[in-house]
Amino acid sequence: MTALPLSLQRGACPALSAPMMTGDGLLARIALIEAISPAQLADICRLALSHGNGMVDISARGNLQVRGLSETSAPHLDADVRGMNLPLREGLAVEVPPLAGMDGSEIADPRPLAQAIREGARDITGLAPKMAVVVDGGGVLRHSDLLADIRLVAMGKHDWKLVLGGTEDSGFVFNVLRETLVVDTVIGLLKQLKSLGNKARGRDLAGGLLVNEATHLAPSSSLALSRRSAGVATIDPSHMLGTSPSMTARKAASPFNLFALSNHLHAIGIGPAFGQAKAEDIIAVCDEATRLGIKSIKPALDHSLLFFGSEDACRSLRDFAGDNGFVTSSIDPRGHIAACSGSPACNSATIATHEIAAKAAAECGDLLDGSFKLHVTGCPKGCAHPQPAALALCGTADRVSLIAQGKASDQPFAFVSFADTNATLRHLADLVRSERRPSENSAACLARIGSDRLAAAATGRP
Ligand code: SF4
């Protein structure tokens, strides 16, 4: 048998030509940089049925993932998808929000910068496999909560905040740059990362370049970059705007809404519960979209699919998808849970995450008010939500750990058996309901209650 370029190591980044082994076979990721038609998405789903096990994921970053491939079928999927002439992403991930260029509330259109960075980075090899650049124009749908090695956020028509590592809130703000400097600066930072090896990430650059080695320099100093990256990027201080007092990220809207866009276009966001659906179910929605005259679709953030069409068509599709079990509303509690594939789909999982998540959505709706993502993960790797969460449930070898205000790998405040997990969640939801102050959301209430009292409620201690 021909040797496959399979990415079998855990932690590797799956791709169309380098699928990753999971509990239900190989997983191939299809990353798109433009919209496709509903008919094309339906065709991808048919390929998932013929080459995989018929399960399709939409990742938190809006990538399609085909599951259950074999060593024999994976190359066929690769060839068949490439034969469709889709706008596939090759090389570095440079991501823009899905409504970019169509959103009247956008401060600046991020697409030209993103394209220039893609082109400038084409020859930069050897970067970390999951390296990501986000260019966010500041519209209604934002990438603020997605991790990025390098993030650009529009602060004005021609001014971009550059953030290294983390989310928009947790990352290291390098500075605000004039647009003319942005591409050279980002390419310079990517070359710097390349020189640090294929494990280096944006946060490493922030720590080493701007803090440890330049302790006498303010993070916003132009010297911080130009001194440490000679020959890579040099910033003229006259182009630097300094850090802005209003740099806190605006809360991003949920994609599960109806959006009015430019040129009388609308978009409706729908999504499979917990980011995963049977291919037949997605095909049914795509067929209905085609029947309604919807011409384009983008897989998008938060495990969503954005369909673009007339207002009437979008509303009709929302009703159809809702009747068929999809998340279609920002207040659906299922949209406020980040659950990885779990058992049995992933061979690292020790718990059936979707079973816990579905019960939690049905039983703890008032806890899931949209102020935080309940993280339900099959192991401490935390694929579905790499960031800290107000509350996380994590499968361990023989039970489930509960973590407050942290990542799945952080210190738990309690352990419960798998069988008791949903009952425990109900106790925590009851506690939040009884403790919640007027105008306080669940995330703030959980933080105020604190780990000790959460542990007492979880374990039934007085
Ligand atoms: S977080 Fe979930 S999907 Fe990721 S490796 Fe662990 S069990 Fe598998």
Side-chain angles (χ1 to χ4, degrees):
M1 186 184 301
T2 312
L4 289 169
L6 302 179
S7 176
L8 297 174
Q9 293 175 352
R10 186 140 306 287
C13 190
L16 183 55
S17 302
M20 185 178 78
M21 184 57 75
T22 67
D24 57 352
L26 292 165
L27 176 152
R29 178 172 293 163
I30 302 171
L32 302 165
I33 56 172
E34 298 286 349
I36 59 175
S37 70
Q40 286 174 314
L41 179 56
D43 284 344
I44 292 173
C45 291
R46 290 187 187 97
L47 293 176
L49 283 166
S50 56
H51 297 314
N53 63 6
M55 297 304 293
V56 175
D57 297 341
I58 300 157
S59 76
R61 303 189 85 94
N63 295 311
L64 295 169
Q65 296 180 162
V66 176
R67 306 193 68 94
L69 299 160
S70 68
E71 290 199 6
T72 307
S73 67
H76 293 300
L77 177 81
D78 184 3
D80 288 349
V81 169
R82 290 184 191 283
M84 292 173 67
N85 289 321
L86 300 170
L88 296 177
R89 185 185 79 213
E90 306 285 359
L92 178 68
V94 184
E95 301 166 337
V96 298
L99 302 181
M102 297 179 277
D103 177 353
S105 70
E106 207 168 49
I107 297 169
D109 184 347
R111 295 172 302 168
L113 277 182
Q115 185 56 26
I117 293 167
R118 278 185 205 113
E119 287 169 10
R122 193 165 285 152
D123 297 328
I124 304 177
T125 55
L127 295 168
K130 291 186 177 176
M131 181 76 58
V133 177
V134 161
V135 190
D136 191 330
V140 63
L141 276 186
R142 311 263 334 263
H143 278 183
S144 326
D145 294 334
L146 296 182
L147 298 174
D149 294 276
I150 300 173
R151 180 188 311 272
L152 296 161
V153 182
M155 303 297 287
K157 273 271 175 240
H158 304 290
D159 305 323
W160 294 82
K161 179 175 68 172
L162 195 157
V163 182
L164 296 171
T167 64
E168 189 177 339
D169 272 342
S170 68
F172 184 95
V173 178
F174 174 69
N175 214 319
V176 178
L177 302 171
R178 295 200 196 285
E179 189 174 53
T180 48
L181 286 180
V182 166
V183 176
D184 284 349
T185 302
V186 171
I187 299 303
L189 290 169
L190 290 170
K191 288 180 178 173
Q192 191 81 11
L193 285 164
K194 172 188 165 81
S195 75
L196 295 174
N198 67 3
K199 290 195 168 45
R201 306 300 299 268
R203 59 179 178 268
D204 303 324
L205 206 52
L209 178 68
L210 299 175
V211 179
N212 297 337
E213 294 184 299
T215 50
H216 63 292
L217 297 171
S220 60
S221 167
S222 60
L223 292 174
L225 181 63
S226 58
R227 276 189 177 183
R228 303 295 165 193
S229 52
V232 176
T234 303
I235 296 174
D236 178 343
S238 67
H239 293 287
M240 309 287 291
L241 301 178
T243 48
S244 160
S246 58
M247 282 189 166
T248 304
R250 269 197 292 140
K251 181 90 179 123
S254 163
F256 302 112
N257 277 304
L258 179 67
F259 300 96
L261 306 172
S262 51
N263 297 326
H264 308 293
L265 195 63
H266 283 70
I268 183 70
I270 69 164
F274 318 124
Q276 192 171 82
K278 291 179 182 164
E280 297 98 319
D281 293 343
I282 299 178
I283 291 171
V285 174
C286 289
D287 288 350
E288 180 67 5
T290 302
R291 193 189 69 75
L292 290 165
I294 288 176
K295 299 247 177 335
S296 59
I297 176 173
K298 282 184 186 173
L301 71 161
D302 241 351
H303 315 279
S304 66
L305 293 167
L306 284 172
F307 291 80
F308 298 85
S310 70
E311 181 175 358
D312 285 349
C314 287
R315 287 186 186 280
S316 297
L317 188 67
R318 178 177 62 189
D319 294 344
F320 178 89
D323 290 345
N324 286 277
F326 283 79
V327 176
T328 60
S329 159
S330 60
I331 60 170
D332 187 324
R334 295 175 300 170
H336 303 146
I337 301 176
C340 74
S341 300
S343 180
C346 177
N347 59 11
S348 293
T350 61
I351 57 172
T353 51
H354 288 195
E355 185 182 325
I356 292 174
K359 280 189 195 155
E363 299 170 352
C364 306
D366 56 349
L367 174 70
L368 301 169
D369 62 355
S371 60
F372 76 104
K373 287 268 190 205
L374 174 65
H375 187 191
V376 185
T377 178
C379 82
K381 188 177 171 196
C383 296
H385 195 73
Q387 311 91 316
L391 186 60
L393 310 176
C394 177
T396 69
D398 56 354
R399 50 194 176 160
V400 177
S401 62
L402 284 76
I403 302 103
Q405 314 299 328
K407 297 182 181 180
S409 55
D410 286 344
Q411 183 68 31
F413 65 80
F415 291 91
V416 295
S417 68
F418 177 79
D420 290 338
T421 304
N422 283 99
T424 303
L425 259 183
R426 288 198 301 274
H427 294 320
L428 297 180
D430 290 345
L431 178 65
V432 169
R433 191 182 308 111
S434 66
E435 292 279 334
R436 199 195 308 265
R437 293 173 178 163
S439 307
E440 189 176 50
N441 62 31
S442 293
C445 189
L446 282 164
R448 183 172 55 75
I449 289 172
S451 295
D452 288 348
R453 291 186 62 208
L454 289 174
T459 55
R461 281 191 276 119

